[in-house]
Coordinates of all heavy atoms in Angstrom, one line a residue:
M1 N 104.1 -50.4 93.2 CA 104.7 -49.9 94.4 C 106.1 -49.3 94.1 O 106.4 -48.2 94.7 CB 104.8 -51.1 95.4 CG 105.3 -50.7 96.7 SD 104.1 -49.8 97.6 CE 104.7 -49.8 99.2
D2 N 106.9 -49.9 93.3 CA 108.2 -49.4 93.0 C 108.1 -48.1 92.3 O 109.0 -47.2 92.5 CB 109.0 -50.5 92.2 CG 109.4 -51.7 93.1 OD1 109.5 -51.5 94.3 OD2 109.6 -52.8 92.5
A3 N 107.2 -48.0 91.4 CA 107.0 -46.8 90.6 C 106.7 -45.6 91.5 O 107.2 -44.5 91.3 CB 106.0 -46.9 89.5
E4 N 105.8 -45.8 92.5 CA 105.4 -44.8 93.4 C 106.6 -44.4 94.3 O 106.9 -43.2 94.5 CB 104.3 -45.3 94.3 CG 103.0 -45.4 93.6 CD 101.9 -46.0 94.5 OE1 102.2 -46.2 95.8 OE2 100.8 -46.3 94.0
Y5 N 107.4 -45.4 94.7 CA 108.6 -45.1 95.5 C 109.6 -44.3 94.7 O 110.2 -43.3 95.2 CB 109.2 -46.4 96.0 CG 110.5 -46.2 96.8 CD1 110.4 -45.8 98.1 CD2 111.7 -46.5 96.3 CE1 111.5 -45.6 98.9 CE2 112.9 -46.4 97.0 CZ 112.8 -45.9 98.3 OH 113.9 -45.8 99.0
L6 N 109.8 -44.7 93.4 CA 110.7 -44.0 92.6 C 110.3 -42.5 92.3 O 111.1 -41.6 92.4 CB 110.9 -44.7 91.2 CG 111.9 -44.2 90.3 CD1 113.3 -44.2 90.9 CD2 111.9 -45.0 89.0
Q7 N 109.0 -42.3 92.1 CA 108.4 -41.0 91.9 C 108.6 -40.1 93.2 O 109.0 -39.0 93.1 CB 106.9 -41.1 91.6 CG 106.3 -39.7 91.3 CD 106.8 -39.0 90.1 OE1 107.4 -39.6 89.2 NE2 106.8 -37.7 90.2
A8 N 108.3 -40.7 94.3 CA 108.5 -39.9 95.6 C 110.0 -39.6 95.8 O 110.3 -38.5 96.3 CB 108.0 -40.8 96.8
L9 N 110.9 -40.5 95.5 CA 112.3 -40.2 95.6 C 112.8 -39.1 94.7 O 113.5 -38.2 95.1 CB 113.1 -41.5 95.3 CG 114.6 -41.5 95.6 CD1 114.9 -41.2 97.0 CD2 115.2 -42.8 95.2
K10 N 112.2 -39.1 93.4 CA 112.6 -38.0 92.5 C 112.0 -36.7 93.0 O 112.7 -35.6 92.9 CB 112.0 -38.3 91.1 CG 112.7 -39.4 90.4 CD 112.0 -39.6 89.0 CE 112.7 -40.8 88.2 NZ 112.1 -41.0 86.9
E11 N 110.8 -36.6 93.5 CA 110.3 -35.4 94.1 C 111.1 -34.9 95.3 O 111.3 -33.7 95.4 CB 108.8 -35.6 94.5 CG 107.9 -35.8 93.3 CD 106.5 -36.1 93.7 OE1 106.1 -36.1 94.9 OE2 105.7 -36.4 92.7
N12 N 111.5 -35.8 96.1 CA 112.3 -35.4 97.3 C 113.6 -34.9 96.8 O 114.1 -33.9 97.4 CB 112.4 -36.7 98.2 CG 113.1 -36.3 99.5 OD1 112.9 -35.2 100.0 ND2 114.0 -37.2 100.0
T13 N 114.2 -35.5 95.9 CA 115.5 -35.1 95.4 C 115.4 -33.7 94.8 O 116.2 -32.8 95.0 CB 116.1 -36.0 94.3 OG1 116.2 -37.3 94.9 CG2 117.4 -35.6 93.8
A14 N 114.3 -33.4 94.0 CA 114.1 -32.1 93.4 C 113.9 -31.0 94.5 O 114.5 -29.9 94.4 CB 112.9 -32.1 92.5
A15 N 113.2 -31.4 95.5 CA 112.9 -30.4 96.6 C 114.2 -30.1 97.4 O 114.5 -29.0 97.7 CB 111.9 -31.0 97.6
M16 N 115.0 -31.1 97.6 CA 116.3 -30.9 98.3 C 117.3 -30.1 97.5 O 118.0 -29.2 98.0 CB 117.0 -32.3 98.6 CG 116.3 -33.1 99.7 SD 116.1 -32.1 101.3 CE 117.8 -32.1 101.8
Q17 N 117.3 -30.3 96.1 CA 118.1 -29.5 95.3 C 117.7 -28.0 95.3 O 118.5 -27.1 95.3 CB 118.1 -30.0 93.8 CG 118.9 -31.3 93.7 CD 118.8 -31.9 92.3 OE1 118.0 -31.6 91.5 NE2 119.7 -32.9 92.1
E18 N 116.4 -27.8 95.3 CA 115.8 -26.4 95.4 C 116.2 -25.8 96.7 O 116.7 -24.6 96.8 CB 114.3 -26.4 95.3 CG 113.7 -25.1 95.3 CD 112.2 -25.1 95.1 OE1 111.6 -26.2 94.8 OE2 111.6 -24.1 95.3
L19 N 116.1 -26.5 97.8 CA 116.5 -26.0 99.1 C 118.0 -25.7 99.2 O 118.4 -24.7 99.7 CB 116.2 -27.1 100.2 CG 116.6 -26.7 101.6 CD1 115.8 -25.5 102.1 CD2 116.3 -27.9 102.6
I20 N 118.8 -26.5 98.6 CA 120.3 -26.3 98.6 C 120.6 -25.0 97.8 O 121.4 -24.2 98.2 CB 121.0 -27.5 98.0 CG1 121.0 -28.7 99.1 CG2 122.5 -27.2 97.7 CD1 121.4 -30.0 98.5
G21 N 119.9 -24.9 96.7 CA 120.1 -23.7 95.9 C 119.7 -22.4 96.6 O 120.4 -21.4 96.6
L22 N 118.6 -22.4 97.4 CA 118.2 -21.3 98.2 C 119.2 -21.0 99.3 O 119.6 -19.9 99.6 CB 116.8 -21.5 98.8 CG 115.7 -21.5 97.9 CD1 114.4 -22.0 98.6 CD2 115.5 -20.1 97.3
M23 N 119.8 -22.0 99.9 CA 120.8 -21.9 101.0 C 122.1 -21.3 100.4 O 122.7 -20.4 101.0 CB 121.0 -23.2 101.7 CG 119.9 -23.7 102.5 SD 120.1 -25.3 103.2 CE 121.5 -25.1 104.2
K24 N 122.5 -21.7 99.2 CA 123.7 -21.1 98.6 C 123.4 -19.7 98.2 O 124.4 -18.9 98.3 CB 124.0 -22.0 97.4 CG 124.7 -23.3 97.7 CD 125.1 -24.0 96.5 CE 125.8 -25.3 96.8 NZ 126.2 -26.1 95.6
A25 N 122.2 -19.3 97.7 CA 122.0 -18.0 97.4 C 122.0 -17.1 98.6 O 122.5 -15.9 98.6 CB 120.6 -17.9 96.7
K26 N 121.6 -17.6 99.8 CA 121.6 -16.8 101.0 C 123.0 -16.6 101.5 O 123.4 -15.7 102.2 CB 120.7 -17.4 102.1 CG 120.6 -16.6 103.3 CD 119.6 -17.1 104.2 CE 119.5 -16.2 105.4 NZ 118.2 -15.8 105.8
E27 N 123.9 -17.6 101.2 CA 125.3 -17.5 101.7 C 126.1 -16.4 101.0 O 127.1 -16.0 101.5 CB 126.0 -18.8 101.4 CG 125.6 -19.9 102.4 CD 126.3 -21.2 102.1 OE1 127.1 -21.3 101.2 OE2 125.9 -22.2 102.8
T28 N 125.6 -16.0 99.8 CA 126.4 -14.9 99.2 C 126.2 -13.6 100.0 O 125.1 -13.2 100.4 CB 125.8 -14.6 97.7 OG1 124.4 -14.3 97.8 CG2 126.0 -15.8 96.9
R29 N 127.3 -13.0 100.3 CA 127.3 -11.9 101.2 C 126.9 -10.6 100.5 O 127.5 -10.2 99.5 CB 128.7 -11.7 101.8 CG 129.1 -12.7 102.7 CD 130.5 -12.6 103.2 NE 130.8 -11.2 103.6 CZ 131.2 -10.8 104.8 NH1 131.3 -11.7 105.7 NH2 131.5 -9.6 105.0
S30 N 125.8 -10.1 100.9 CA 125.3 -8.8 100.4 C 125.9 -7.7 101.2 O 126.3 -7.9 102.4 CB 123.8 -8.8 100.5 OG 123.3 -7.5 100.2
D31 N 126.0 -6.5 100.6 CA 126.5 -5.3 101.3 C 125.5 -4.9 102.4 O 125.8 -4.2 103.3 CB 126.8 -4.2 100.4 CG 128.1 -4.5 99.6 OD1 128.9 -5.3 100.0 OD2 128.2 -3.9 98.5
W32 N 124.2 -5.2 102.2 CA 123.1 -4.7 103.0 C 122.5 -5.9 103.8 O 122.3 -6.9 103.2 CB 122.1 -4.0 102.2 CG 122.6 -2.7 101.6 CD1 123.1 -2.6 100.3 CD2 122.8 -1.5 102.2 NE1 123.5 -1.3 100.1 CE2 123.3 -0.6 101.2 CE3 122.5 -1.0 103.5 CZ2 123.6 0.7 101.5 CZ3 122.8 0.4 103.7 CH2 123.3 1.2 102.8
V33 N 122.3 -5.8 105.1 CA 121.8 -6.9 105.9 C 120.5 -6.5 106.6 O 120.3 -5.3 106.9 CB 122.8 -7.4 106.9 CG1 124.1 -7.9 106.2 CG2 123.3 -6.3 107.9
D34 N 119.7 -7.4 107.0 CA 118.5 -7.2 107.7 C 118.8 -7.0 109.2 O 119.9 -7.3 109.6 CB 117.5 -8.3 107.5 CG 117.9 -9.6 108.0 OD1 119.0 -9.8 108.5 OD2 117.1 -10.6 107.8
P35 N 117.8 -6.6 110.0 CA 118.1 -6.3 111.4 C 118.6 -7.6 112.2 O 119.4 -7.4 113.1 CB 116.7 -5.9 112.0 CG 116.0 -5.3 110.8 CD 116.5 -6.1 109.6
E36 N 118.1 -8.7 111.8 CA 118.6 -9.9 112.6 C 120.0 -10.2 112.3 O 120.8 -10.5 113.2 CB 117.7 -11.1 112.2 CG 116.3 -11.1 112.9 CD 115.4 -10.0 112.4 OE1 115.4 -9.6 111.2 OE2 114.7 -9.4 113.3
E37 N 120.4 -10.2 111.0 CA 121.8 -10.4 110.7 C 122.7 -9.3 111.2 O 123.8 -9.5 111.7 CB 122.0 -10.5 109.2 CG 123.4 -11.0 108.8 CD 123.5 -11.4 107.3 OE1 122.5 -11.4 106.6 OE2 124.6 -11.6 106.9
A38 N 122.2 -8.1 111.3 CA 122.9 -6.9 111.9 C 123.2 -7.2 113.3 O 124.3 -6.9 113.9 CB 122.2 -5.6 111.7
A39 N 122.2 -7.7 114.0 CA 122.3 -8.0 115.5 C 123.4 -9.1 115.7 O 124.2 -9.0 116.6 CB 121.0 -8.5 116.0
V40 N 123.4 -10.1 114.8 CA 124.4 -11.2 114.9 C 125.8 -10.6 114.7 O 126.7 -10.9 115.4 CB 124.1 -12.3 113.9 CG1 125.3 -13.2 113.8 CG2 122.8 -13.0 114.2
I41 N 126.0 -9.7 113.7 CA 127.3 -9.1 113.5 C 127.7 -8.3 114.7 O 128.9 -8.3 115.0 CB 127.2 -8.2 112.2 CG1 127.0 -9.0 110.9 CG2 128.4 -7.3 112.1 CD1 126.7 -8.3 109.7
L42 N 126.8 -7.6 115.3 CA 127.1 -6.7 116.4 C 127.2 -7.5 117.7 O 127.6 -6.9 118.8 CB 126.1 -5.6 116.6 CG 126.1 -4.6 115.4 CD1 124.9 -3.6 115.6 CD2 127.4 -3.8 115.4
G43 N 126.8 -8.7 117.7 CA 126.8 -9.5 119.0 C 125.7 -9.2 119.9 O 125.8 -9.5 121.1
L44 N 124.6 -8.7 119.4 CA 123.4 -8.4 120.2 C 122.5 -9.7 120.3 O 122.5 -10.5 119.3 CB 122.6 -7.3 119.6 CG 123.3 -5.9 119.3 CD1 122.3 -5.0 118.6 CD2 123.7 -5.3 120.7
T45 N 121.9 -9.8 121.4 CA 121.0 -10.9 121.6 C 119.7 -10.7 120.8 O 119.1 -9.7 120.9 CB 120.7 -11.1 123.1 OG1 121.9 -11.3 123.8 CG2 119.8 -12.4 123.3
I46 N 119.3 -11.7 120.0 CA 118.1 -11.6 119.2 C 116.9 -12.1 120.1 O 117.0 -13.2 120.6 CB 118.1 -12.4 117.9 CG1 119.2 -11.8 117.0 CG2 116.8 -12.4 117.2 CD1 119.5 -12.5 115.7
T47 N 116.0 -11.2 120.4 CA 114.9 -11.6 121.3 C 113.6 -11.7 120.5 O 113.4 -11.1 119.4 CB 114.7 -10.6 122.4 OG1 114.4 -9.3 121.8 CG2 116.0 -10.5 123.2
K48 N 112.6 -12.4 121.1 CA 111.3 -12.6 120.5 C 110.6 -11.2 120.5 O 109.8 -10.9 119.5 CB 110.5 -13.6 121.3 CG 109.3 -14.1 120.6 CD 108.7 -15.3 121.4 CE 107.6 -16.0 120.6 NZ 107.1 -17.1 121.3
A49 N 110.9 -10.4 121.4 CA 110.2 -9.1 121.5 C 110.9 -8.0 120.6 O 110.5 -6.9 120.6 CB 110.3 -8.6 123.0
K50 N 111.9 -8.5 119.9 CA 112.7 -7.6 118.9 C 113.4 -6.4 119.6 O 113.4 -5.3 119.0 CB 111.7 -7.1 117.8 CG 111.1 -8.3 117.1 CD 110.4 -7.9 115.8 CE 109.8 -9.2 115.3 NZ 109.6 -9.4 114.0
V51 N 113.9 -6.7 120.8 CA 114.7 -5.6 121.5 C 115.9 -5.3 120.7 O 116.4 -4.1 120.7 CB 115.0 -6.1 122.9 CG1 115.9 -5.1 123.6 CG2 113.7 -6.3 123.7
H52 N 116.4 -6.3 119.9 CA 117.7 -6.0 119.1 C 117.4 -4.9 118.1 O 118.3 -4.1 117.8 CB 118.1 -7.3 118.5 CG 117.2 -7.9 117.5 ND1 116.1 -8.6 118.0 CD2 117.1 -7.9 116.2 CE1 115.4 -9.1 117.0 NE2 116.0 -8.6 115.8
R53 N 116.2 -4.8 117.6 CA 115.9 -3.7 116.7 C 115.9 -2.3 117.4 O 116.4 -1.4 116.8 CB 114.5 -4.0 116.0 CG 114.6 -5.2 115.1 CD 113.3 -5.3 114.3 NE 113.3 -6.5 113.5 CZ 112.6 -6.7 112.4 NH1 111.7 -5.7 112.1 NH2 112.7 -7.7 111.7
A54 N 115.4 -2.3 118.6 CA 115.5 -1.1 119.4 C 116.9 -0.7 119.7 O 117.3 0.5 119.6 CB 114.7 -1.2 120.7
N55 N 117.7 -1.7 119.9 CA 119.2 -1.4 120.2 C 119.8 -0.9 118.9 O 120.7 0.0 119.0 CB 119.9 -2.6 120.7 CG 119.4 -3.0 122.1 OD1 118.9 -2.2 122.8 ND2 119.6 -4.3 122.4
L56 N 119.4 -1.4 117.7 CA 120.0 -0.8 116.5 C 119.5 0.6 116.3 O 120.3 1.4 115.8 CB 119.5 -1.7 115.3 CG 120.2 -3.1 115.2 CD1 119.4 -4.0 114.2 CD2 121.6 -2.9 114.7
R57 N 118.3 0.9 116.6 CA 117.8 2.3 116.5 C 118.6 3.2 117.4 O 119.0 4.3 117.1 CB 116.3 2.4 116.8 CG 115.4 2.0 115.7 CD 114.0 2.4 115.9 NE 113.4 1.8 117.2 CZ 112.9 0.6 117.3 NH1 112.8 -0.2 116.3 NH2 112.4 0.3 118.5
W58 N 118.9 2.7 118.6 CA 119.7 3.5 119.6 C 121.1 3.8 119.0 O 121.6 4.9 119.1 CB 119.9 2.7 120.9 CG 120.6 3.4 121.9 CD1 120.1 4.3 122.8 CD2 122.0 3.3 122.2 NE1 121.1 4.8 123.7 CE2 122.3 4.2 123.3 CE3 123.1 2.6 121.7 CZ2 123.6 4.4 123.8 CZ3 124.3 2.8 122.2 CH2 124.6 3.7 123.2
L59 N 121.7 2.8 118.3 CA 123.0 3.0 117.7 C 122.9 4.1 116.6 O 123.9 4.8 116.4 CB 123.6 1.7 117.2 CG 124.1 0.7 118.2 CD1 124.3 -0.7 117.6 CD2 125.3 1.2 118.8
I60 N 121.8 4.1 115.9 CA 121.6 5.1 114.9 C 121.5 6.5 115.5 O 122.1 7.5 115.1 CB 120.4 4.8 114.0 CG1 120.7 3.6 113.1 CG2 120.0 6.0 113.1 CD1 119.4 3.0 112.4
K61 N 120.7 6.6 116.5 CA 120.4 7.9 117.2 C 121.7 8.4 117.8 O 121.9 9.6 117.9 CB 119.3 7.8 118.3 CG 118.0 7.7 117.7 CD 116.9 7.7 118.8 CE 115.5 7.6 118.1 NZ 114.5 7.7 119.1
Q62 N 122.6 7.5 118.3 CA 123.8 8.0 118.9 C 124.9 8.3 117.9 O 125.9 8.9 118.2 CB 124.3 6.9 119.9 CG 123.4 6.6 121.0 CD 123.1 7.8 121.9 OE1 124.0 8.5 122.2 NE2 121.9 8.0 122.3
G63 N 124.6 8.0 116.6 CA 125.5 8.3 115.6 C 126.6 7.3 115.3 O 127.5 7.5 114.5
F64 N 126.5 6.1 115.9 CA 127.5 5.1 115.6 C 127.2 4.4 114.3 O 128.1 4.0 113.6 CB 127.5 4.0 116.7 CG 127.9 4.6 118.1 CD1 127.0 4.6 119.1 CD2 129.1 5.1 118.3 CE1 127.4 5.1 120.4 CE2 129.5 5.6 119.5 CZ 128.6 5.6 120.5
V65 N 125.9 4.2 113.9 CA 125.5 3.6 112.6 C 124.9 4.8 111.8 O 123.9 5.3 112.2 CB 124.5 2.5 112.8 CG1 124.1 1.9 111.5 CG2 125.1 1.4 113.7
K66 N 125.6 5.0 110.7 CA 125.2 6.2 109.8 C 124.6 5.7 108.5 O 123.9 6.4 107.9 CB 126.3 7.1 109.6 CG 126.7 7.8 110.9 CD 127.9 8.7 110.7 CE 128.3 9.2 112.1 NZ 129.7 9.5 112.2
Q67 N 125.0 4.5 108.0 CA 124.6 4.1 106.7 C 123.5 3.0 106.9 O 123.8 1.9 107.3 CB 125.8 3.5 105.9 CG 126.8 4.6 105.6 CD 128.0 4.1 104.9 OE1 128.5 3.0 105.2 NE2 128.5 4.8 103.9
F68 N 122.3 3.3 106.5 CA 121.2 2.4 106.5 C 120.2 2.8 105.5 O 120.2 4.0 105.1 CB 120.6 2.3 107.9 CG 120.1 3.6 108.5 CD1 118.8 3.9 108.3 CD2 120.9 4.5 109.1 CE1 118.3 5.2 108.7 CE2 120.4 5.7 109.6 CZ 119.1 6.0 109.4
R69 N 119.4 1.9 105.1 CA 118.3 2.2 104.1 C 117.0 2.0 104.8 O 116.7 1.0 105.5 CB 118.4 1.2 102.9 CG 119.6 1.4 102.1 CD 119.5 0.7 100.8 NE 118.9 -0.6 100.9 CZ 119.1 -1.6 100.0 NH1 120.0 -1.5 99.1 NH2 118.5 -2.8 100.2
S70 N 116.1 2.9 104.6 CA 114.8 2.8 105.2 C 114.0 1.8 104.4 O 114.3 1.5 103.3 CB 114.1 4.2 105.3 OG 113.9 4.7 104.0
G71 N 113.0 1.3 105.0 CA 112.1 0.3 104.4 C 111.5 -0.6 105.5 O 111.7 -0.3 106.7
R72 N 110.9 -1.6 105.1 CA 110.4 -2.6 106.0 C 110.9 -3.9 105.8 O 110.5 -4.5 104.8 CB 108.8 -2.6 106.0 CG 108.2 -1.3 106.5 CD 106.7 -1.4 106.5 NE 106.2 -2.1 107.7 CZ 105.9 -1.6 108.8 NH1 106.2 -0.3 109.0 NH2 105.4 -2.3 109.8
P73 N 111.9 -4.4 106.5 CA 112.6 -3.7 107.6 C 113.8 -2.9 107.1 O 114.1 -3.0 105.9 CB 113.1 -4.9 108.4 CG 113.4 -6.0 107.4 CD 112.3 -5.8 106.3
Y74 N 114.4 -2.1 107.9 CA 115.5 -1.3 107.6 C 116.6 -2.3 107.1 O 116.7 -3.4 107.6 CB 116.0 -0.6 108.8 CG 115.4 0.8 109.0 CD1 114.0 0.9 109.0 CD2 116.1 1.9 109.1 CE1 113.4 2.2 109.2 CE2 115.6 3.2 109.3 CZ 114.2 3.3 109.3 OH 113.6 4.5 109.5
K75 N 117.5 -1.8 106.3 CA 118.7 -2.5 105.9 C 119.9 -1.8 106.4 O 120.0 -0.5 106.3 CB 118.8 -2.7 104.4 CG 117.6 -3.5 103.8 CD 117.8 -4.9 104.1 CE 116.7 -5.7 103.4 NZ 116.8 -7.1 103.6
Y76 N 120.9 -2.5 106.8 CA 122.1 -1.9 107.4 C 123.3 -2.3 106.6 O 123.4 -3.4 106.1 CB 122.3 -2.3 108.9 CG 121.1 -2.0 109.7 CD1 120.0 -2.9 109.9 CD2 121.0 -0.7 110.3 CE1 118.9 -2.5 110.6 CE2 119.9 -0.4 111.1 CZ 118.9 -1.3 111.2 OH 117.8 -1.0 112.0
Y77 N 124.3 -1.4 106.5 CA 125.5 -1.6 105.7 C 126.5 -2.5 106.5 O 126.9 -2.1 107.6 CB 126.1 -0.2 105.4 CG 127.2 -0.3 104.3 CD1 127.0 -0.8 103.1 CD2 128.5 0.2 104.6 CE1 127.9 -0.9 102.1 CE2 129.5 0.2 103.6 CZ 129.2 -0.4 102.4 OH 130.2 -0.5 101.4
R78 N 126.8 -3.6 105.9 CA 127.6 -4.6 106.6 C 129.0 -4.1 107.0 O 129.4 -4.3 108.1 CB 127.8 -5.8 105.6 CG 128.6 -6.9 106.2 CD 128.9 -8.0 105.2 NE 127.7 -8.7 104.7 CZ 127.1 -9.7 105.4 NH1 127.5 -10.1 106.5 NH2 126.0 -10.2 104.8
N79 N 129.7 -3.4 106.1 CA 131.0 -3.0 106.5 C 131.0 -2.0 107.7 O 131.9 -2.1 108.6 CB 131.7 -2.3 105.3 CG 132.0 -3.2 104.2 OD1 132.2 -4.4 104.4 ND2 132.2 -2.7 103.0
E80 N 130.1 -1.1 107.8 CA 130.0 -0.2 108.9 C 129.6 -1.0 110.2 O 130.2 -0.7 111.2 CB 128.9 0.8 108.6 CG 128.8 1.9 109.7 CD 127.8 2.9 109.5 OE1 126.7 2.6 109.0 OE2 128.0 4.0 109.9
L81 N 128.8 -2.0 110.1 CA 128.4 -2.8 111.3 C 129.6 -3.5 111.8 O 129.8 -3.7 113.0 CB 127.3 -3.8 110.9 CG 125.9 -3.1 110.6 CD1 124.9 -4.2 110.2 CD2 125.4 -2.4 111.9
E82 N 130.5 -4.0 110.9 CA 131.7 -4.7 111.3 C 132.6 -3.8 112.1 O 133.2 -4.2 113.1 CB 132.3 -5.4 110.1 CG 131.5 -6.6 109.6 CD 132.0 -7.1 108.3 OE1 132.9 -6.5 107.6 OE2 131.5 -8.2 107.8
K83 N 132.7 -2.6 111.6 CA 133.5 -1.6 112.3 C 133.0 -1.2 113.7 O 133.7 -1.1 114.7 CB 133.7 -0.3 111.5 CG 134.5 -0.5 110.2 CD 134.5 0.7 109.4 CE 135.2 0.5 108.1 NZ 135.2 1.6 107.2
V84 N 131.6 -1.1 113.8 CA 131.0 -0.8 115.0 C 131.1 -2.0 116.0 O 131.4 -1.8 117.2 CB 129.5 -0.4 114.8 CG1 128.7 -0.3 116.1 CG2 129.4 0.9 114.0
S85 N 131.1 -3.2 115.4 CA 131.3 -4.4 116.3 C 132.6 -4.4 116.9 O 132.8 -4.8 118.1 CB 131.1 -5.6 115.4 OG 131.3 -6.8 116.1
K86 N 133.7 -4.0 116.2 CA 135.0 -3.9 116.7 C 135.1 -2.9 117.8 O 135.8 -3.1 118.8 CB 136.0 -3.6 115.6 CG 136.2 -4.8 114.7 CD 137.2 -4.4 113.6 CE 137.3 -5.6 112.6 NZ 138.1 -5.2 111.4
K87 N 134.4 -1.7 117.7 CA 134.4 -0.7 118.7 C 133.7 -1.2 120.0 O 134.1 -0.9 121.1 CB 133.6 0.5 118.2 CG 134.4 1.3 117.2 CD 133.7 2.6 116.8 CE 134.5 3.4 115.7 NZ 133.7 4.6 115.3
I88 N 132.6 -2.0 119.8 CA 131.9 -2.6 121.0 C 132.8 -3.5 121.7 O 132.9 -3.6 122.9 CB 130.6 -3.2 120.5 CG1 129.6 -2.2 120.1 CG2 130.0 -4.0 121.7 CD1 128.3 -2.7 119.4
A89 N 133.5 -4.4 120.9 CA 134.4 -5.4 121.5 C 135.6 -4.8 122.2 O 136.0 -5.3 123.2 CB 134.9 -6.3 120.4
S90 N 136.1 -3.7 121.7 CA 137.2 -3.0 122.3 C 136.8 -2.1 123.5 O 137.7 -1.6 124.2 CB 138.0 -2.2 121.3 OG 137.3 -1.1 120.9
G91 N 135.5 -1.9 123.6 CA 135.1 -1.0 124.8 C 134.9 0.4 124.4 O 134.6 1.2 125.3
D92 N 135.1 0.8 123.2 CA 134.9 2.2 122.8 C 133.4 2.6 122.9 O 133.0 3.7 123.2 CB 135.4 2.5 121.3 CG 136.9 2.4 121.3 OD1 137.5 2.5 122.3 OD2 137.4 2.2 120.1
I93 N 132.5 1.6 122.6 CA 131.1 1.8 122.8 C 130.8 0.9 124.0 O 130.7 -0.3 123.9 CB 130.3 1.4 121.6 CG1 130.7 2.2 120.4 CG2 128.8 1.6 121.8 CD1 130.1 1.8 119.1
G94 N 130.6 1.5 125.2 CA 130.4 0.7 126.4 C 129.0 0.2 126.7 O 128.9 -0.8 127.4
Y95 N 128.1 0.8 126.1 CA 126.7 0.5 126.4 C 125.8 0.6 125.1 O 125.9 1.5 124.4 CB 126.1 1.4 127.5 CG 124.6 1.3 127.7 CD1 124.2 0.2 128.4 CD2 123.7 2.2 127.2 CE1 122.8 0.0 128.7 CE2 122.4 2.0 127.4 CZ 121.9 1.0 128.2 OH 120.6 0.8 128.4
V96 N 125.1 -0.4 124.9 CA 124.1 -0.4 123.8 C 122.7 -0.5 124.4 O 122.3 -1.5 124.9 CB 124.3 -1.6 122.8 CG1 123.3 -1.5 121.7 CG2 125.7 -1.5 122.2
G97 N 122.0 0.6 124.4 CA 120.7 0.7 125.1 C 119.6 0.8 124.1 O 119.7 0.9 122.9
R98 N 118.4 0.8 124.7 CA 117.2 0.9 123.9 C 116.9 2.3 123.4 O 117.4 3.2 124.1 CB 116.0 0.4 124.7 CG 115.9 -1.0 124.9 CD 114.6 -1.3 125.6 NE 114.4 -2.7 125.7 CZ 113.3 -3.3 126.1 NH1 112.3 -2.5 126.5 NH2 113.2 -4.6 126.2
A99 N 116.2 2.4 122.3 CA 115.8 3.7 121.8 C 114.7 4.4 122.6 O 114.0 3.7 123.3 CB 115.4 3.6 120.4

């Protein structure tokens, strides 16, 4: 019984260490972010229907977001999003609508 408990504890510890490693890897700030993180940076509400992605497309079509990489999903440049976020907060961009 003790051997089984010790083995389960070792496996749990290994799994937790792997999880912590993954979380630390995600914490490293990349220059390119996915649509969900872009929405968080811009202060957009993330919806189950993915309306935040349509709002990001609207920002691209209006010319507010110019640096992005195509793919599935698109990647957006973090520094530019932070600048656009400041414009939204200051009222320079008054409306963020759907594409």
Side-chain angles (χ1 to χ4, degrees):
M1 185 73 167
D2 289 333
E4 291 175 5
Y5 179 73
L6 186 59
Q7 180 64 27
L9 187 59
K10 286 180 182 179
E11 289 174 6
N12 186 37
T13 301
M16 289 303 291
Q17 288 175 343
E18 183 180 350
L19 179 63
I20 290 169
L22 290 172
M23 290 172 65
K24 284 183 179 179
K26 187 170 178 130
E27 285 178 5
T28 58
R29 289 177 45 120
S30 172
D31 288 340
W32 297 95
V33 297
D34 63 359
E36 284 66 37
E37 191 170 353
V40 170
I41 292 169
L42 293 172
L44 302 175
T45 304
I46 298 175
T47 62
K48 197 172 188 178
K50 301 191 184 208
V51 173
H52 60 283
R53 291 183 181 206
N55 291 338
L56 285 167
R57 282 192 304 272
W58 183 86
L59 287 168
I60 290 170
K61 285 184 179 182
Q62 299 301 317
F64 297 118
V65 176
K66 296 176 182 149
Q67 295 178 320
F68 58 93
R69 292 190 325 203
S70 61
R72 292 185 77 89
Y74 274 51
K75 298 286 185 180
Y76 302 91
Y77 192 56
R78 179 185 300 275
N79 291 338
E80 184 181 36
L81 292 174
E82 289 171 351
K83 290 176 186 175
V84 171
S85 175
K86 288 178 185 175
K87 287 182 181 179
I88 291 172
S90 68
D92 293 339
I93 302 173
Y95 171 76
V96 178
R98 286 187 175 185

